[in-house]
Amino acid sequence: MTATQGDIDQEIARERAAYEEAVAAGAPRTHHPARNYPPYRSSALRHPTQPPIPITLERDPEAVELASPVFGETDITALDNDLTRQHPGEPLGERITVSGRLLDRTGRPLRGQLIEIWQANAAGRYAHQRDQHPAPLDPHFTGVGRTLTDGDGGYAFTTIKPGAYPWHNHTGAWRPAHIHFSLFGAAFTQRLITQMYFPGDPLFPRDPILQSVTDEAARQRLVARYDHDLSQPEWSLGYHWDIVLDGPTATWIEEGR
């Protein structure tokens, strides 16, 4: 029997209450969700059940091939971070600028790091053959971009605000509007993935993926803030979102999902 939205809401509330009770009893607050979060149905099938296996060059010399990606200015074109200019025509939807900084736990900027994004179009549909829900594709929007962080750890994308879309976690399930972020470190095995959301979305309380981050403060760090100074007159609205890789103010990463 497929769960309803009401069923999922009750499960989310139980998970939240259990977390708050544990914190009240002395458990530390956590900014990452449990790998197996019951309201997010597929996490039970997709999460690792064994700890990671360390790889050393002494034991596996070929492991060097997993390390040291090098991304330079010649690998990124002028259009890669502007998703609205990658096709002959103008994409449909609300043009936005998303900007922020990539930081470590001490606030130090991480320079020259590759950031990739992908997202649905304004109608909530991905340009992917597996996305077959009845929303229109946009021939002028593919929804994929990338950039390198600058000397201050800064990044910027111009894109279209994505729409919400249905998914098959439960009956009546809809994902809030979001943009996926992929972050590369000093090795391919260090790749991290997260999601950025938009302020004031009414779907937040009903989304088991976002709600799997049971700590309220950690969950809020996934939501960008509107920044009028980033808005460009007669062109785009601006959103600011910093990404912190670790520490007590870390951005949630999709570990094991």
Side-chain angles (χ1 to χ4, degrees):
M1 180 178 179
T2 303
T4 66
Q5 183 65 61
D7 296 330
I8 296 297
D9 290 346
Q10 292 179 20
E11 291 183 29
I12 289 173
R14 288 195 294 268
E15 294 290 326
R16 180 87 54 81
Y19 171 75
E20 295 298 342
E21 288 175 6
V23 170
R29 289 195 171 274
T30 58
H31 54 257
H32 286 299
R35 291 180 175 181
N36 180 6
Y37 182 73
Y40 181 8
R41 292 293 192 254
S42 62
S43 67
L45 304 174
R46 296 165 58 188
H47 78 285
T49 58
Q50 301 294 327
I53 300 174
I55 297 176
T56 64
L57 297 184
E58 291 77 15
R59 292 177 55 189
D60 184 5
E62 293 184 358
V64 70
E65 297 179 3
L66 302 175
S68 302
V70 177
F71 305 105
E73 296 295 338
T74 58
D75 300 309
I76 307 296
T77 74
L79 298 182
D80 283 349
N81 73 332
D82 189 341
L83 285 67
T84 69
R85 298 173 56 207
Q86 296 173 350
H87 299 278
E90 293 284 345
L92 298 175
E94 177 185 318
R95 188 183 289 108
I96 60 174
T97 298
V98 178
S99 181
R101 299 174 71 206
L102 181 63
L103 307 167
D104 69 9
R105 66 184 301 149
T106 66
R108 182 177 65 89
L110 299 175
R111 307 174 179 87
Q113 300 297 298
L114 179 67
I115 298 180
E116 297 176 328
I117 65 171
W118 68 95
Q119 63 170 93
N121 65 20
R125 186 167 176 182
Y126 289 94
H128 192 283
Q129 62 181 1
R130 293 188 62 185
D131 188 346
Q132 296 295 317
H133 96 272
L137 289 169
D138 187 338
H140 301 300
F141 188 78
T142 307
V144 177
R146 60 181 182 170
T147 192
L148 292 175
T149 57
D150 61 22
D152 197 34
Y155 73 89
F157 290 98
T158 300
T159 185
I160 296 298
K161 186 175 182 181
Y165 60 81
W167 62 309
H168 299 294
N169 187 74
H170 56 275
T171 301
W174 286 79
R175 294 288 343 268
H178 61 278
I179 298 176
H180 299 267
F181 276 70
S182 168
L183 315 165
F184 279 97
F188 285 111
T189 52
Q190 293 177 352
R191 182 184 182 223
L192 301 174
I193 297 174
T194 186
Q195 298 179 20
M196 185 205 85
Y197 298 85
F198 295 87
D201 195 313
L203 291 172
F204 284 166
R206 301 184 181 277
D207 180 44
I209 295 181
L210 179 60
Q211 294 301 322
S212 70
V213 184
T214 48
D215 188 76
E216 173 67 20
R219 197 162 55 249
Q220 289 302 317
R221 290 196 293 272
L222 295 174
V223 182
R225 62 176 174 84
Y226 173 72
D227 188 335
H228 198 70
D229 291 335
L230 289 177
S231 299
Q232 301 180 34
E234 301 182 28
W235 182 252
S236 68
L237 294 178
Y239 291 89
H240 182 94
W241 191 56
D242 290 338
I243 306 168
V244 182
L245 292 187
D246 60 0
T249 60
T251 304
W252 168 64
I253 301 298
E254 297 182 19
E255 179 185 10
R257 297 201 184 275

